[in-house]
Each structure stands twice: as C-alpha cells, then as structure tokens.
Amino acid sequence: TAYEILSGLVGSEMCIRDGLIAGRTNALLWGNLTPNFSLELVTSNRTSVMAGAFYSLDQNPLDCSIKGAEAQVRYWVSGRAMVQSFIGLGIQGMRYDATFSDTHHFGDAVGTGMVYGYVLPLGKRFNIEFSAGISLMWYREKRYEKGLPAPGDYNTTGHKVMPMGLGISCTYIFK
C-alpha cells in the first residue's frame, strides 16, 4: 500500500499521525485578493514538509501583484506533528509588480528563512495556524519613477530582510 511505501521511504516505524496530509489557505493573503493553497505531509512524529503557491489578482487593495511559491521543513516542538508549536526552515520565491511612493518596482526575489508557528485545533480535522518568520531575500528589479517608461533590463539588485510565512491559515486534515 501507499502507507507501506511511505514508511519504507522514511526508514522508520511510523506513528498513527505519519502520512497525514493537510490542505491550507492563508487568510492574510486573501485580504490582498491573493488566492493561495499549500499541502503539508507529516513525515514523522516531529517533522512535516509543506509546499504551496500564491497568485494575486491584478486589481487588489495594496496595488501590488505577487506570484510565487514556498516550501518549508517543520519541526514540531510538541512531539506531535500538526499540534501546537513548530519551527520551520523555508525557501520562497516570487515575482512582484508594485508601486510605492510614486516608484514602480517590477522584479524577482528568492530567499531562505525561519518561521515559528502555533496550531490551534478547532476539531478533529480543522485547525487554525498562526505563523510569522524572517528571511533574507535576494532580489533584482526594474525600479523607475511612476509615469516614466520601464527600463529594458533589471537596474537594481540587492538583499533585504523580509517577513516569511506571515499568516493566519485555515487547515483541513485529509488523513
């Protein structure tokens, strides 16, 4: 069965929670009209992996379009995956198009970081997850004044400390 194959890949006797799969969406991103979805797979008593994607609509409250993906490896401090506190190491990448203070930014960013989160169970299959973290993002962008033509190539590169994994997420455990 799939359970036995996964157990062989992990290389250990699996507990009852291993192999659980959960789907999640971040309500904070929806606040900016950015649909998003991620899946999480429990790999052992204390670990899970999560991968997701997000894509903002052209017209949103922050006048900022983002498209990207993220992945995390999570260590569950409580000893039970998808219960209480976790610490995650992650990577994220995105393309953005935004205007702030009459300056237009169009570019790409990628980075790694750390996330802390807490899961509050609402029932057998539903959870609310609160998370926040920090990352070091490398970026390249076309930066130009609003109303001027866009430059032909990227004209700004650098690194910035940015938030990572900031969210209030609704989770459903498929099993």
Side-chain angles (χ1 to χ4, degrees):
T1 67
Y3 182 83
E4 291 166 336
I5 292 169
L6 186 58
S7 179
L9 290 174
V10 172
S12 64
E13 188 64 34
M14 297 179 84
C15 76
I16 194 158
R17 293 190 67 83
D18 293 345
L20 290 181
I21 296 176
R24 140 182 329 101
T25 190
N26 185 338
L28 292 183
L29 286 176
W30 280 100
N32 190 42
L33 300 178
T34 303
N36 64 94
F37 185 74
S38 61
L39 288 173
E40 183 170 2
L41 173 66
V42 174
T43 55
S44 75
N45 287 336
R46 290 187 176 263
T47 60
S48 63
V49 293
M50 185 273 295
F54 48 91
Y55 182 94
S56 64
L57 304 175
D58 290 334
Q59 299 294 321
N60 59 53
L62 296 180
D63 195 25
C64 174
S65 174
I66 56 174
K67 301 160 185 63
E70 63 181 335
Q72 290 179 19
V73 175
R74 295 177 168 189
Y75 175 80
W76 293 86
V77 179
S78 67
R80 269 182 74 196
M82 294 191 198
V83 176
Q84 296 180 345
S85 299
F86 69 85
I87 297 170
L89 295 176
I91 186 168
Q92 61 184 358
M94 67 185 73
R95 171 159 280 189
Y96 56 90
D97 188 359
T99 303
F100 302 111
S101 303
D102 291 331
T103 302
H104 194 81
H105 305 264
F106 175 81
D108 305 307
V110 65
T112 60
M114 182 177 274
V115 177
Y116 172 79
Y118 188 85
V119 173
L120 183 64
L122 297 179
K124 184 176 179 178
R125 296 200 182 275
F126 288 99
N127 295 335
I128 294 278
E129 177 183 298
F130 303 91
S131 61
I134 193 164
S135 69
L136 180 62
M137 298 290 288
W138 171 85
Y139 68 92
R140 66 179 186 175
E141 67 181 21
K142 296 178 184 180
R143 183 182 298 179
Y144 55 99
E145 295 301 314
K146 189 175 178 180
L148 294 177
D153 205 3
Y154 296 104
N155 60 3
T156 306
T157 62
H159 296 82
K160 283 191 178 186
V161 175
M162 300 290 290
M164 179 180 203
L166 184 62
I168 300 173
S169 301
C170 303
T171 304
Y172 179 78
I173 300 171
F174 296 112
K175 185 140 174 111

